[in-house]
């Protein structure tokens, strides 16, 4: 059954990364806020949920929700000093914030176990279902993705979503039409944080073990690759990107087992491809595989 | 730690960061985007220098010069093949910035592919450090300070006494006008990349000589280098130097400070000595960055 | 209605606005003219909260507004257009109009998810209004075009359309007809007059075309090197020697 197991693992990862990529897409694709530290939100969700469940013995549902809230709160916090600044400053501040969260996880051993990581993270309903647990978890992830996709689509189709696009394309104009752009930026960072935190929490309970190694900047670059390849300001694009990049990433790791160049070089080669893919897409097909859809209002009035 | 030692360490760190921050700030000024691949090229150049020096046995100084020239040339080539086209297409600066991020990932991993992830040391003679006013300083460090000083004087002369420098300042002062005379400014922009990356390689090699050389070096210094540039008022090369020195001091002072007395509230609580764990050293520049953004986002030398 | 007292603003050494005072009453159209670089746009940017003044005070409807943010000023009923039209690249003309609508229920993300019926109702109402306005402005056939693809004149017309959606008490228009062909200029002026009749609001416009100024403005202020050089009816201004020297003499 290894192939079947591997496939289920791959599809579960599609789901987790689809959530993660959608959270970035909301910030970058819709609102134009360049976030190079999205992994921090993922890590916060993962650690908060894992620690609350493992160390405080809280129910998993509470852990996941707390993980989302922690990460959403972090989004507000990060947006606060930078909300009136240009995108370059967002980029560097978020990048740095991502590193600080990782340093915290690495250094505060009393809380996070440092480099050893958090082990034996409980899984939802693990006693009840055992034989087909990974199928169950995959279905769970699938449902979460569907719900989040629906909610995000509702948001991006709403006047709120329109405000985001206006900030992205013409911030001055939005201000001149009375939009409180700073507040909207804080909101979008919070929502992006909630979703990324959810992805992180689900990741933690799936992997059963997390350590700072899971939350390297590499993860942020991967999801950037996903939204650049898949297409920004389009949630389907984010999901497609997650599938494409994740397939490439996981399958090359698989191949790496059979090619005698060592895992380090293999992973370097893999990241070169992803970097070049990002550059070439931005030059030759900047809109990505699935372009942003034009919003029209069929004659209903 | 002795105060004199803090000063020496800060000066060295500041000198290294300066050489990196100058190029970053210049590209931002002229082209309007933050180059997230900047420090990656510095690390790449340091690897080139290492190869010339330790594998081909070329003299260290010559190796660094060669590496700087080569990396500068790569900068020109990348401008010709990528950025110039995007400028002609009026691509958003945001797109350019994200492209540099992708480029940075590629370069970092190309270094990893060629030189592997294992850390490298520049072969340096082990000599007794000198003592100046109680501060220990190695001959290598003295050399670093000396070369950094020369590089900065050279940069100043370049900016004020060459055709390139004058044109560059003219572009910086009036970007509309510069666009009108596109051909001239295109050439200047290529020279600018050359200078930016050459200087970055010198700074990057110094960091590698003093500490270690490894593919992630570029990524590890990206935050301090940006912090230095922003601290000095992004777009201003002199500000970048000032910002780098300020950051160098801030890092070394904060690391050596004992926060114990602060938290004991005048002896009320016994907290012993409280020093920032060295694990958080990389976070200092982030904290300073946030502070600057909160208080004066235009930096020390910037206008409001 | 709008009262400006001793406003000053410098960029480095340059005094762009130097002690400007003026007053704009309700329900009328006022003009602001002056040579290039005389500080007209800068003054508009200060009034609308986009630039911080160095000195002086601004009152709107008796309330001090010079330390408010742009969106807060719009909330009080004072809005502006830009000299260089802003047109979101990937938003259609119709979306532009909807963007400008005031107090949309779905602008709050929680409402957008939870109060669907209310959001829907407010959407229908705004959609209807937007489509009517687009027809009036003769932009309806472009409703599904990306605003970034419009011509300069169409963008200016759209800017006016967005203002209509906002229903402000007072509008600052920065060169609403510059570089616009005569037909579109006519559309823009007609639209402006229509809006005024409907809502009794006032306009303050920067305009280079003296013909337009004479046609629509009751009173004109002349700005030169950041200072008010003269004010009066269009006829008076056209006779004023100082103004002729500084401004009209050049044409
Ligand atoms: N953000 C700015 N930074 C520096 N200088 C500025 C800025 N905005 C305007 N200025 C300068 O202030 C002066 C007044 O400019 P302003 O745009 O207000 O003139 P204007 O009367 O609107 O001219 P025009 O008729 O060309 O639109 C000009 O010299 C201009 O260069
Ligand atoms: Mg103007």
């Amino acid at each position: 059954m290894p192939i079947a197991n591997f496939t289920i693992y791959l599809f579960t990862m599609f789901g987790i990364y689809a959530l993660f990529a959608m959270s970035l897409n909301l910030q970058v694709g819709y609102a134009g806020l360049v976030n190079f530290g999205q992994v921090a939100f993922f890590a916060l969700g993962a650690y908060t949920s894992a620690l609350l469940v493992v160390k405080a013995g809280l129910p998993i549902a509470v852990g996941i929700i707390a993980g989302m809230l922690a990460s959403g709160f972090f989004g507000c916090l990060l947006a606060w000093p930078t909300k009136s600044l240009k995108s370059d400053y967002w980029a560097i501040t978020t990048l740095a914030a991502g590193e600080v969260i990782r340093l915290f996880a690495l250094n505060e051993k009393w809380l996070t176990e440092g480099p050893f990581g958090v082990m034996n993270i409980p899984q939802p309903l693990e006693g009840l279902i055992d034989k087909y647990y990974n199928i169950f978890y995959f279905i769970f992830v699938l449902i979460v993705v569907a719900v989040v996709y629906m909610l995000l689509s509702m948001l991006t189709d709403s006047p709120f979503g329109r405000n985001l696009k206006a900030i992205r394309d013409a911030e001055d104009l939005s201000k001149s039409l009375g939009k409180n752009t700073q507040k909207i930026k804080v909101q979008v960072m919070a929502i992006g944080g909630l979703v990324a935190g959810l992805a992180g929490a689900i990741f933690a309970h799936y992997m059963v073990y997390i350590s700072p190694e899971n939350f390297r900047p590499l993860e942020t670059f991967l999801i950037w690759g996903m939204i650049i390849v898949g297409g920004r300001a389009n949630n389907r694009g984010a999901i497609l990107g997650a599938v494409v990049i994740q397939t490439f990433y996981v399958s090359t790791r698989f191949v790496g087992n059979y090619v005698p160049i060592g895992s380090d070089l293999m992973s370097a080669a893999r990241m070169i491809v992803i970097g070049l893919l990002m550059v070439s897409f931005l030059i030759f097909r900047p809109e990505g595989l699935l372009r942003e859809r034009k919003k029209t209002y069929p004659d209903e009035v | 730690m002795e105060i004199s030692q803090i000063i020496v360490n800060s000066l060295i760190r500041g000198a290294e960061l300066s050489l990196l921050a100058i190029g970053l700030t210049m590209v931002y000024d002229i082209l309007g985007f933050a180059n997230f691949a900047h420090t990656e090229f510095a690390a790449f150049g340091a690897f080139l220098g290492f190869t010339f020096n330790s594998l081909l046995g070329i003299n260290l100084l010559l190796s660094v010069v060669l590496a700087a020239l080569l990396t500068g040339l790569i900068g020109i080539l990348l401008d010709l093949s990528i950025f110039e086209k995007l400028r002609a297409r009026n691509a958003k600066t945001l797109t350019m910035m994200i492209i540099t991020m992708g480029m940075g990932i590629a370069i970092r991993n190309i270094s990893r592919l060629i030189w592997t992830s294992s850390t490298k040391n520049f072969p340096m003679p082990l000599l007794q450090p000198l003592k100046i006013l109680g501060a220990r300083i190695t001959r290598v460090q003295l050399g670093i300070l000396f070369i950094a000083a020369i590089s900065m004087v050279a940069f100043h002369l370049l900016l004020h006494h060459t055709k390139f420098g004058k044109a560059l300042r003219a572009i910086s002062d009036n970007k509309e006008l510069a666009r009108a005379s596109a051909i001239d400014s295109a050439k200047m922009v290529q020279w600018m990349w050359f200078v930016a990356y050459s200087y970055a390689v010198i700074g990057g090699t110094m960091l590698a000589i003093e500490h270690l050389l490894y593919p992630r070096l570029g990524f590890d210094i990206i935050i301090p280098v940006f912090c230095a540039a922003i601290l000095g008022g992004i777009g201003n090369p002199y500000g970048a130097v000032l910002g780098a020195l300020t950051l160098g001091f801030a890092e070394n002072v904060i690391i050596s400070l004992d926060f114990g007395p602060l938290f004991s509230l005048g002896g009320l609580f016994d907290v012993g000595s409280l020093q920032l764990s060295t694990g958080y050293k990389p976070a200092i520049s982030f904290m300073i960055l946030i502070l600057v953004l909160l208080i004066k986002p235009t930096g020390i030398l910037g206008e409001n | 209605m709008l009262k400006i007292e001793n406003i000053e603003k410098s960029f480095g050494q340059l005094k762009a606005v130097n002690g400007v005072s003026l007053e704009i009453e309700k329900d009328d159209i006022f003009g602001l003219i002056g040579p290039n670089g005389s500080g007209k746009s800068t003054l508009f940017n200060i009034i609308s909260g986009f630039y911080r003044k160095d000195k002086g005070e601004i009152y709107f409807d008796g309330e001090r507004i010079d330390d408010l943010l742009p969106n807060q000023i719009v909330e009080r009923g004072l809005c502006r257009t830009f000299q260089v039209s802003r047109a979101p690249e990937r938003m259609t003309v119709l979306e532009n109009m909807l963007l400008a609508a005031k107090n949309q229920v779905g602008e709050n993300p929680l409402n957008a998810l939870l109060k669907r019926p209310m959001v829907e109702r407010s959407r229908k109402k705004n959609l209807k209004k937007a489509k009517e306005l687009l027809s009036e402005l003769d932009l309806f056939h472009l409703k599904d075009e990306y605003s970034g693809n419009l011509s300069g004149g169409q963008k200016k017309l759209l800017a006016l359309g967005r203002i209509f959606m906002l229903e402000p008490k007072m509008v600052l228009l920065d060169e609403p007809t510059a570089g616009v062909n005569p037909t579109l200029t006519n559309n823009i002026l007609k639209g402006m007059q229509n809006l005024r009749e409907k809502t009794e609001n006032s306009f303050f416009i920067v305009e280079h075309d003296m013909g337009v100024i004479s046609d629509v403005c009751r009173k004109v202020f002349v700005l030169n090197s950041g200072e008010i050089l003269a004010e009066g009816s269009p006829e008076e201004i056209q006779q004023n020697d100082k103004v002729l020297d500084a401004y009209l003499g050049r044409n």
Side-chain angles (χ1 to χ4, degrees):
Chain A
M1 279 272 286
I3 289 291
N5 276 338
F6 176 75
T7 314
I8 295 167
Y9 163 80
L10 186 63
F11 274 76
T12 311
M13 280 303 180
F14 287 165
I16 291 171
Y17 276 90
L19 289 173
F20 197 10
M22 280 194 284
S23 77
L24 184 68
N25 179 38
L26 184 73
Q27 299 173 353
V28 178
Y30 286 96
L33 300 175
V34 179
N35 186 337
F36 282 155
Q38 189 71 348
V39 67
F41 297 87
F42 193 65
L44 263 175
Y47 267 100
T48 308
S49 187
L51 290 173
L52 282 180
V53 176
V54 171
K55 294 208 165 173
L58 292 176
I60 294 174
V62 176
I64 293 180
I65 291 171
M68 290 172 70
L69 292 179
S71 171
F73 176 72
F74 185 65
C76 296
L77 208 66
L78 202 54
W80 206 255
T82 35
K83 64 188 189 300
S84 59
L85 297 171
K86 285 192 9 181
S87 50
D88 324 277
Y89 293 95
W90 278 85
I92 187 67
T93 325
T94 47
L95 180 79
E99 280 299 273
V100 168
I101 292 291
R102 202 172 59 87
L103 286 178
F104 185 86
L106 212 50
N107 284 294
E108 300 304 315
K109 299 194 180 65
W110 59 276
L111 182 66
T112 62
E113 309 298 332
F116 303 112
V118 187
M119 278 178 259
N120 300 324
I121 303 169
Q123 298 192 293
L125 306 181
E126 58 188 331
L128 301 177
I129 312 159
D130 36 58
K131 198 159 167 221
Y132 296 109
Y133 193 82
N134 44 9
I135 297 181
F136 158 74
Y137 207 87
F138 165 65
I139 294 172
F140 166 62
V141 170
L142 198 65
I143 293 171
V144 173
V145 172
V147 170
V148 168
Y149 172 81
M150 232 175 56
L151 293 176
L152 283 180
S153 304
M154 264 155 80
L155 270 184
T156 50
D157 274 345
S158 75
F160 174 71
R162 192 157 50 223
N163 285 350
L164 298 187
K165 290 191 201 171
I167 290 180
R168 176 195 68 192
D169 285 353
E171 185 168 358
D172 270 3
L173 175 71
S174 327
K175 285 186 193 162
S176 81
L177 296 174
K179 310 299 176 198
N180 188 343
T181 54
Q182 305 198 352
K183 183 170 127 198
I184 298 171
K185 286 181 187 177
V186 174
Q187 286 172 336
V188 79
M189 287 299 278
I191 299 170
L194 286 175
V195 177
L198 175 65
I202 292 181
F203 174 77
H205 291 287
Y206 180 57
M207 300 305 280
V208 197
Y209 163 71
I210 54 169
S211 77
E213 275 299 291
N214 294 119
F215 308 105
R216 284 173 302 165
L218 166 96
E219 301 294 326
T220 304
F221 304 143
L222 277 183
I223 54 167
W224 266 92
M226 291 170 191
I227 65 169
I228 287 173
V229 170
R232 273 145 294 147
N234 185 334
N235 288 319
R236 291 182 197 183
I239 296 176
L240 177 65
V243 171
V244 172
I245 297 286
Q246 196 60 28
T247 305
F248 168 73
Y249 194 81
V250 173
S251 60
T252 47
R253 228 164 62 191
F254 205 61
V255 172
N257 294 337
Y258 302 98
V259 185
I261 63 166
S263 67
D264 188 51
L265 292 190
M266 193 65 203
S267 106
R270 189 160 55 223
M271 285 317 285
I272 293 173
V273 172
I274 287 180
L276 294 181
L277 211 57
M278 285 171 73
V279 175
S280 356
F281 259 87
L282 285 169
I283 295 173
F284 300 111
R285 196 178 164 86
E287 69 275 13
L289 292 174
L290 296 180
R291 63 174 69 230
E292 178 174 355
R293 277 184 302 171
K294 194 187 249 185
K295 190 154 167 54
T296 54
Y297 297 82
D299 287 329
E300 44 185 301
V301 184
Chain B
M1 207 188 292
E2 294 272 346
I3 295 215
S4 54
Q5 188 67 56
I6 293 181
I7 294 177
V8 165
N9 293 356
S10 309
L11 274 178
I12 293 168
R13 173 83 170 159
E16 293 160 349
L17 289 180
S18 301
L19 296 178
L20 284 146
I22 284 177
L24 183 75
T25 221
M26 210 159 51
V27 171
Y28 186 87
D29 183 30
I30 302 295
L31 300 180
F33 64 85
N35 177 12
F36 277 84
H38 188 75
T39 55
E40 305 293 352
F41 280 99
F44 180 80
F47 269 114
L48 284 182
F50 173 80
T51 310
F52 296 148
N53 179 237
S54 66
L55 297 184
L56 305 183
I58 301 173
N59 155 298
L60 178 64
L61 273 183
L62 195 61
S63 301
V64 177
V65 171
L66 268 178
L69 295 181
L70 252 169
T71 313
L73 217 61
I74 295 176
I76 296 184
L77 288 179
L78 285 174
D79 187 68
L80 284 172
S81 58
I82 296 182
F83 294 112
E84 192 168 43
K85 293 207 176 71
L86 289 168
R87 283 199 298 276
R89 210 205 273 173
N90 266 329
K92 287 199 206 134
T93 53
L94 197 86
T95 311
M96 309 255 210
M97 177 169 87
I98 300 170
I99 285 182
T100 63
M101 181 45 105
M103 218 181 239
I105 298 170
I107 290 295
R108 174 159 72 249
N109 286 286
I110 287 173
S111 301
R112 206 170 135 203
L113 198 63
I114 303 177
W115 292 286
T116 75
S117 292
S118 63
T119 53
K120 312 216 160 18
N121 267 310
F122 272 88
M124 283 294 152
L126 274 176
L127 293 170
Q128 269 292 326
L130 311 172
K131 278 219 165 212
I132 303 176
L133 297 172
R136 293 153 59 91
I137 182 166
T138 63
R139 275 163 230 267
V140 172
Q141 288 175 321
L142 267 181
I144 286 178
L145 283 179
F146 180 66
I147 290 175
I150 291 183
S151 307
M152 277 182 244
V153 172
F155 184 77
H156 174 79
L157 296 177
L158 196 67
L159 214 53
H160 286 269
H161 296 279
T162 62
K163 215 176 114 202
F164 161 70
K166 281 179 191 138
L168 202 66
R169 282 185 298 136
I171 297 177
S172 163
D173 286 342
N174 194 338
K175 298 193 177 82
E176 305 298 313
L177 207 71
R179 258 174 227 126
S181 57
I183 303 164
D184 251 17
S185 70
K187 227 161 97 194
M188 290 307 146
V189 166
Q190 274 133 33
W191 276 111
M192 178 201 67
W193 280 108
F194 183 81
V195 174
Y197 279 168
S198 304
Y199 269 74
V201 170
I202 302 174
T205 312
M206 288 174 172
L207 278 163
I209 288 176
E210 243 219 310
H211 305 286
L212 287 169
L213 180 58
Y214 53 101
R216 236 187 85 118
L217 174 68
F219 187 79
D220 284 347
I221 53 176
I222 191 165
I223 296 164
V225 172
F226 266 80
C227 180
I230 292 173
L231 196 56
I234 192 138
N236 179 343
Y238 298 100
V241 175
L242 188 67
L245 288 170
T246 314
L247 180 61
F249 272 95
E251 281 184 349
N252 282 291
V253 168
I254 292 175
I255 276 291
S256 61
L257 271 189
D258 181 359
F259 292 98
L262 194 68
F263 286 103
S264 70
L265 299 178
L268 219 55
F269 305 99
D270 181 23
V271 292
S273 86
L274 253 183
Q275 275 185 306
L276 189 72
S277 127
T278 44
Y280 281 114
K281 196 172 175 194
I284 297 177
S285 46
F286 171 68
M287 295 306 165
I288 293 174
L289 182 70
I290 291 281
L291 274 182
V292 178
L293 293 182
L294 277 173
I295 300 166
K296 197 158 179 284
T298 47
I300 307 174
L301 291 188
E303 285 178 28
N304 274 324
Chain C
M1 181 170 217
L2 176 71
K3 195 164 162 220
I4 297 172
E5 285 177 359
N6 252 317
I7 286 293
E8 285 183 22
K9 172 82 190 173
S10 304
F11 297 110
Q13 301 295 317
L14 176 84
K15 270 219 144 113
V17 175
N18 191 4
V20 168
S21 302
L22 54 82
E23 205 170 338
I24 305 276
E25 290 100 45
K26 224 180 123 184
D27 196 13
D28 223 326
I29 301 184
F30 295 81
L32 180 64
I33 62 173
N36 290 117
S38 55
K40 304 179 296 290
S41 300
T42 305
L43 184 62
F44 272 21
N45 279 325
I46 296 170
I47 300 174
S48 56
F50 278 80
Y51 289 170
R52 278 292 96 134
K53 44 111 219 223
D54 295 337
K55 257 198 207 132
E57 287 158 27
I58 302 175
Y59 296 88
F60 181 66
D61 263 353
E63 195 188 348
R64 186 131 179 217
I65 58 164
D66 49 88
D67 46 7
L68 298 183
L69 294 170
N71 58 298
Q72 296 170 316
I73 293 173
V74 177
E75 273 162 28
R76 283 161 178 72
L78 173 60
C79 67
R80 58 91 49 97
T81 64
F82 296 92
Q83 180 170 352
V84 181
S85 313
R86 309 292 203 265
E89 241 171 88
R90 278 162 299 171
M91 287 174 74
T92 65
V93 167
L94 192 52
E95 275 192 289
N96 266 270
M97 297 292 282
L98 294 171
L99 172 71
K102 266 196 309 197
N103 304 326
Q104 303 168 62
V105 185
E107 283 189 279
N108 177 319
L110 274 181
N111 287 351
L113 296 179
L114 302 176
K115 300 190 181 164
R116 303 284 288 168
M118 272 174 80
V119 173
E120 193 56 23
R121 243 176 294 144
S122 118
R123 190 179 82 114
K124 284 229 165 86
K125 196 185 83 204
N126 290 326
L127 198 57
K128 182 157 171 279
K129 186 169 157 201
K131 286 185 175 174
E132 281 168 11
L133 283 171
L134 285 179
S135 307
E136 264 179 56
L137 290 171
D138 209 5
L139 279 176
F140 190 79
H141 60 292
L142 294 171
K143 72 178 178 8
D144 290 331
E145 188 61 55
Y146 279 135
S147 60
N149 298 343
L150 299 184
S151 74
Q154 289 166 337
K155 283 179 187 164
K156 297 230 156 182
L157 203 54
L158 177 59
L160 203 64
R162 285 187 302 240
I163 298 287
F164 283 30
M165 290 295 289
L166 261 177
E167 299 177 341
K169 295 186 204 158
M170 178 176 222
V171 193
L172 312 177
L173 300 179
D174 200 343
E175 309 207 357
T177 69
V180 179
N181 71 43
T183 331
L184 277 182
T185 300
N186 246 332
N187 273 356
I188 291 173
L189 294 177
K190 218 174 60 205
M192 211 164 81
Q193 244 123 1
N194 271 347
L195 178 63
R196 246 180 44 68
E197 273 159 26
K198 265 194 243 166
T199 57
E200 302 193 341
N201 52 9
S202 37
F203 279 91
F204 192 20
I205 61 177
V206 169
E207 182 55 70
H208 280 297
D209 186 338
M210 251 345 252
V212 171
I213 291 278
S214 314
D215 277 354
V216 302
C217 294
R218 184 169 72 80
K219 187 173 176 186
V220 183
F221 298 90
V222 185
L223 204 58
N224 190 29
S225 311
E227 295 176 21
I228 297 278
L229 190 67
E231 55 182 276
S233 70
E235 295 74 39
E236 284 166 7
I237 291 299
Q238 273 167 308
Q239 322 269 287
N240 188 315
D241 284 341
K242 277 195 290 186
V243 176
L244 289 175
D245 278 352
Y247 182 68
L248 301 169
R250 281 207 213 161
N251 292 356

mmCIF file of all heavy atoms in Angstrom, chain B residues 277-289:
data_model
loop_
_atom_site.group_PDB
_atom_site.id
_atom_site.type_symbol
_atom_site.label_atom_id
_atom_site.label_comp_id
_atom_site.label_asym_id
_atom_site.label_seq_id
_atom_site.Cartn_x
_atom_site.Cartn_y
_atom_site.Cartn_z
ATOM 1 N N SER B 277 19.907 36.741 24.987
ATOM 2 C CA SER B 277 20.534 35.500 24.557
ATOM 3 C C SER B 277 21.069 35.688 23.138
ATOM 4 O O SER B 277 20.435 36.315 22.287
ATOM 5 C CB SER B 277 19.508 34.373 24.608
ATOM 6 O OG SER B 277 19.448 33.709 23.388
ATOM 7 N N THR B 278 22.266 35.155 22.889
ATOM 8 C CA THR B 278 22.886 35.384 21.576
ATOM 9 C C THR B 278 22.037 34.784 20.457
ATOM 10 O O THR B 278 22.159 35.177 19.310
ATOM 11 C CB THR B 278 24.301 34.769 21.503
ATOM 12 O OG1 THR B 278 24.231 33.477 22.084
ATOM 13 C CG2 THR B 278 25.304 35.637 22.198
ATOM 14 N N GLY B 279 21.163 33.852 20.815
ATOM 15 C CA GLY B 279 20.265 33.291 19.816
ATOM 16 C C GLY B 279 19.399 34.355 19.167
ATOM 17 O O GLY B 279 18.903 34.176 18.058
ATOM 18 N N TYR B 280 19.204 35.446 19.880
ATOM 19 C CA TYR B 280 18.333 36.500 19.361
ATOM 20 C C TYR B 280 19.102 37.604 18.642
ATOM 21 O O TYR B 280 18.516 38.589 18.249
ATOM 22 C CB TYR B 280 17.506 37.112 20.491
ATOM 23 C CG TYR B 280 16.338 36.255 20.876
ATOM 24 C CD1 TYR B 280 16.257 35.651 22.116
ATOM 25 C CD2 TYR B 280 15.291 36.057 19.972
ATOM 26 C CE1 TYR B 280 15.184 34.852 22.456
ATOM 27 C CE2 TYR B 280 14.216 35.255 20.301
ATOM 28 C CZ TYR B 280 14.169 34.662 21.551
ATOM 29 O OH TYR B 280 13.104 33.878 21.871
ATOM 30 N N LYS B 281 20.409 37.424 18.510
ATOM 31 C CA LYS B 281 21.181 38.485 17.866
ATOM 32 C C LYS B 281 20.584 38.904 16.513
ATOM 33 O O LYS B 281 20.462 40.092 16.228
ATOM 34 C CB LYS B 281 22.646 38.075 17.719
ATOM 35 C CG LYS B 281 23.517 39.267 17.421
ATOM 36 C CD LYS B 281 24.993 38.943 17.458
ATOM 37 C CE LYS B 281 25.758 40.193 17.022
ATOM 38 N NZ LYS B 281 27.142 39.935 16.709
ATOM 39 N N PRO B 282 20.186 37.912 15.694
ATOM 40 C CA PRO B 282 19.630 38.321 14.395
ATOM 41 C C PRO B 282 18.342 39.144 14.524
ATOM 42 O O PRO B 282 17.947 39.830 13.592
ATOM 43 C CB PRO B 282 19.336 36.996 13.687
ATOM 44 C CG PRO B 282 20.099 35.969 14.420
ATOM 45 C CD PRO B 282 20.262 36.461 15.813
ATOM 46 N N ALA B 283 17.692 39.065 15.670
ATOM 47 C CA ALA B 283 16.417 39.774 15.825
ATOM 48 C C ALA B 283 16.613 41.248 16.156
ATOM 49 O O ALA B 283 15.685 42.041 16.049
ATOM 50 C CB ALA B 283 15.584 39.110 16.913
ATOM 51 N N ILE B 284 17.844 41.603 16.575
ATOM 52 C CA ILE B 284 18.059 42.993 16.999
ATOM 53 C C ILE B 284 17.776 43.957 15.854
ATOM 54 O O ILE B 284 17.072 44.951 16.021
ATOM 55 C CB ILE B 284 19.501 43.199 17.502
ATOM 56 C CG1 ILE B 284 19.738 42.337 18.746
ATOM 57 C CG2 ILE B 284 19.736 44.668 17.846
ATOM 58 C CD1 ILE B 284 21.143 42.418 19.261
ATOM 59 N N SER B 285 18.319 43.612 14.666
ATOM 60 C CA SER B 285 18.114 44.551 13.560
ATOM 61 C C SER B 285 16.635 44.656 13.210
ATOM 62 O O SER B 285 16.158 45.693 12.780
ATOM 63 C CB SER B 285 18.944 44.163 12.341
ATOM 64 O OG SER B 285 18.832 42.803 12.077
ATOM 65 N N PHE B 286 15.903 43.563 13.420
ATOM 66 C CA PHE B 286 14.462 43.625 13.168
ATOM 67 C C PHE B 286 13.775 44.584 14.133
ATOM 68 O O PHE B 286 12.958 45.411 13.748
ATOM 69 C CB PHE B 286 13.851 42.229 13.299
ATOM 70 C CG PHE B 286 12.352 42.222 13.280
ATOM 71 C CD1 PHE B 286 11.669 42.562 12.128
ATOM 72 C CD2 PHE B 286 11.623 41.890 14.409
ATOM 73 C CE1 PHE B 286 10.284 42.564 12.103
ATOM 74 C CE2 PHE B 286 10.247 41.885 14.390
ATOM 75 C CZ PHE B 286 9.570 42.228 13.243
ATOM 76 N N MET B 287 14.148 44.480 15.408
ATOM 77 C CA MET B 287 13.550 45.368 16.411
ATOM 78 C C MET B 287 13.865 46.823 16.073
ATOM 79 O O MET B 287 12.999 47.697 16.164
ATOM 80 C CB MET B 287 14.105 45.056 17.812
ATOM 81 C CG MET B 287 13.736 43.685 18.313
ATOM 82 S SD MET B 287 11.948 43.449 18.252
ATOM 83 C CE MET B 287 11.824 41.690 18.437
ATOM 84 N N ILE B 288 15.114 47.061 15.682
ATOM 85 C CA ILE B 288 15.497 48.431 15.339
ATOM 86 C C ILE B 288 14.716 48.896 14.118
ATOM 87 O O ILE B 288 14.217 50.020 14.062
ATOM 88 C CB ILE B 288 17.014 48.513 15.116
ATOM 89 C CG1 ILE B 288 17.712 48.256 16.457
ATOM 90 C CG2 ILE B 288 17.413 49.869 14.545
ATOM 91 C CD1 ILE B 288 19.190 48.155 16.375
ATOM 92 N N LEU B 289 14.576 47.990 13.159
ATOM 93 C CA LEU B 289 13.813 48.323 11.955
ATOM 94 C C LEU B 289 12.391 48.748 12.313
ATOM 95 O O LEU B 289 11.891 49.776 11.855
ATOM 96 C CB LEU B 289 13.776 47.095 11.040
ATOM 97 C CG LEU B 289 13.057 47.244 9.708
ATOM 98 C CD1 LEU B 289 13.852 48.151 8.794
ATOM 99 C CD2 LEU B 289 12.866 45.890 9.047
#
